[in-house]
Amino acid sequence: MTDRSDQESGQDIQEWTVEADFAKERIDKYIADSMEGVSRSQVQIWIGDGQVTVNGSQVKSNYKLAAGDKIELVVPEVAAVEILPENIPLEVVYEDSSVIVVNKQRGLVVHPAPGHASGTLVNALMYHCHDLSGINGELRPGIVHRIDKDTSGLLMAAKNDKAHASLAAQLKDHSVNRRYIALVHGHVQHDQGTIDAPIGRDAHDRKMFTVTERNSKHAVTHFSVMERLGDYTLLELKLETGRTHQIRVHMKFIGHSLVGDPMYGRSKGVKMNGQALHAATLGFVHPDSGETLEFNAPLPQDMEDVLASLRSR
């Protein structure tokens, strides 16, 4: 998938070239599975409104795809969507006139999506800050990077466009220090290592990601063992790149999926409500002062409880 903006109209345009694995799949299902936070019914509305073309022609929602089809979706502007401030509990780790760093609780979605405009971190930030950068549009004000809904931990947001541009550039050149703590299944033998494996959409389930050479992006995760707990291992992981579900996919790839991961994990063993993954460290250069800042957030109580139980065995 490619994502581009039309410079004259400012429209968001999504493009796909259909692979043979998805021949004969309905176009509404294909697009919904390819876009995070977009429902199939929303895609059907877009198709009915003529926002979707295949090989340059409009189609119906039940159109069956063929290998090589070129799909283009012009995503309607979201200016009419009103994202409202909400008094959602927010643990602020650091804040000044340009940047805010929060320790996100597990279960909180980072930003609104079409058809889901409330109960997110963005709604909470709007209530708390009143001033957020507008670079990412009305659905994602201030958001420079994301962590998954069921991943807890540190996340930075920008209060103005200058700060946003600086933080985004640091993420792009991999200078932001992002370290995670994860509890995984199995006994990780090596004390430390690097997983260098490209990540792309799963050919059989486009809501998932996997290690693949096809339509993939370079992805690198470094890990080191913090503690071995019988059939489980506590790891510290450092992201060199920031792909969707990167840690979860890479750990599954090496045979050590995250405890509690509902998508990539195992159904047996220790139970958690969401994956045992915590963004513990976040370091970056302040956009205004040039000072290097680094923050640490303790493990959430549910992970501490699981670790205490494993240590007592």
Side-chain angles (χ1 to χ4, degrees), residues 79-122:
V81 177
E82 186 176 13
I83 307 301
L84 299 175
E86 294 181 55
N87 188 9
I88 298 169
L90 201 61
E91 183 181 342
V92 178
V93 176
Y94 173 84
E95 183 178 11
D96 60 27
S97 61
S98 295
V99 178
I100 182 170
V101 177
V102 299
N103 182 17
K104 186 187 81 69
Q105 60 265 42
R106 190 186 318 282
L108 184 64
V109 175
V110 170
H111 61 75
H116 182 74
S118 63
T120 73
L121 177 64
V122 163

Side-chain angles (χ1 to χ4, degrees), residues 21-310:
D21 291 330
F22 298 99
K24 297 185 179 180
E25 184 168 289
R26 282 178 55 127
I27 189 170
D28 54 353
K29 181 179 187 303
Y30 181 93
I31 294 176
D33 288 350
S34 300
M35 298 181 69
E36 187 174 358
V38 175
S39 68
R40 193 163 170 178
S41 59
Q42 177 63 71
V43 174
Q44 290 170 353
I45 292 171
W46 288 339
I47 293 172
D49 289 342
Q51 304 294 133
V52 176
T53 59
V54 178
N55 305 322
S57 300
Q58 293 183 12
V59 295
K60 295 183 178 180
S61 296
N62 63 356
Y63 173 80
K64 297 293 182 67
L65 295 168
D69 274 352
K70 306 286 187 182
I71 303 172
E72 181 176 285
L73 161 65
V74 179
V75 181
E77 292 189 23
V78 295
V81 177
E82 186 176 13
I83 307 301
L84 299 175
E86 294 181 55
N87 188 9
I88 298 169
L90 201 61
E91 183 181 342
V92 178
V93 176
Y94 173 84
E95 183 178 11
D96 60 27
S97 61
S98 295
V99 178
I100 182 170
V101 177
V102 299
N103 182 17
K104 186 187 81 69
Q105 60 265 42
R106 190 186 318 282
L108 184 64
V109 175
V110 170
H111 61 75
H116 182 74
S118 63
T120 73
L121 177 64
V122 163
N123 299 100
L125 286 171
M126 290 178 67
Y127 182 91
H128 178 87
C129 297
H130 308 296
D131 51 348
L132 293 167
S133 70
I135 289 178
N136 271 343
E138 295 201 12
L139 289 180
R140 304 182 186 184
I143 299 302
V144 184
H145 66 127
R146 301 182 308 174
I147 53 179
D148 293 336
K149 172 187 173 183
D150 289 324
T151 297
S152 59
L154 296 170
L155 183 142
M156 58 185 175
K159 290 189 170 185
N160 55 64
D161 289 356
K162 175 189 172 185
H164 194 124
S166 173
L167 296 175
Q170 293 178 55
L171 285 164
K172 188 175 181 179
D173 66 19
H174 312 309
S175 61
V176 175
N177 183 21
R178 290 178 292 169
R179 295 181 184 271
Y180 292 71
I181 294 176
L183 181 65
V184 303
H185 289 277
H187 181 93
V188 179
Q189 293 185 342
H190 299 287
D191 290 340
Q192 56 188 20
T194 295
I195 308 165
D196 186 345
I199 291 175
R201 293 273 181 185
D202 190 301
H204 304 291
D205 185 345
R206 291 183 62 81
K207 291 190 187 308
M208 297 179 65
F209 291 82
T210 189
V211 170
T212 178
E213 295 292 339
R214 296 190 308 171
N215 294 326
S216 59
K217 294 182 178 179
H218 179 58
V220 178
T221 305
H222 307 282
F223 70 86
S224 60
V225 172
M226 299 177 68
E227 188 175 359
R228 293 183 176 94
L229 297 157
D231 293 331
Y232 301 88
T233 305
L234 188 68
L235 298 176
E236 181 186 65
L237 303 112
K238 178 175 172 57
L239 286 180
E240 187 171 312
T241 55
R243 307 308 176 199
T244 302
H245 299 174
Q246 179 173 319
I247 289 174
R248 300 164 66 187
V249 171
H250 271 174
M251 296 317 299
K252 178 185 178 182
F253 177 65
I254 65 170
H256 296 287
S257 58
L258 269 62
V259 167
D261 192 328
M263 187 172 290
Y264 302 100
R266 306 177 187 176
S267 58
K268 296 182 179 180
V270 172
K271 302 295 184 184
M272 278 193 62
N273 186 22
Q275 60 269 7
L277 182 62
H278 177 68
T281 301
L282 179 64
F284 57 91
V285 175
H286 193 280
D288 297 327
S289 68
E291 178 186 2
T292 297
L293 304 178
E294 186 166 287
F295 305 97
N296 295 283
L299 289 177
Q301 192 60 50
D302 56 356
M303 283 187 69
E304 289 284 14
D305 291 344
V306 168
L307 291 172
S309 175
L310 292 174

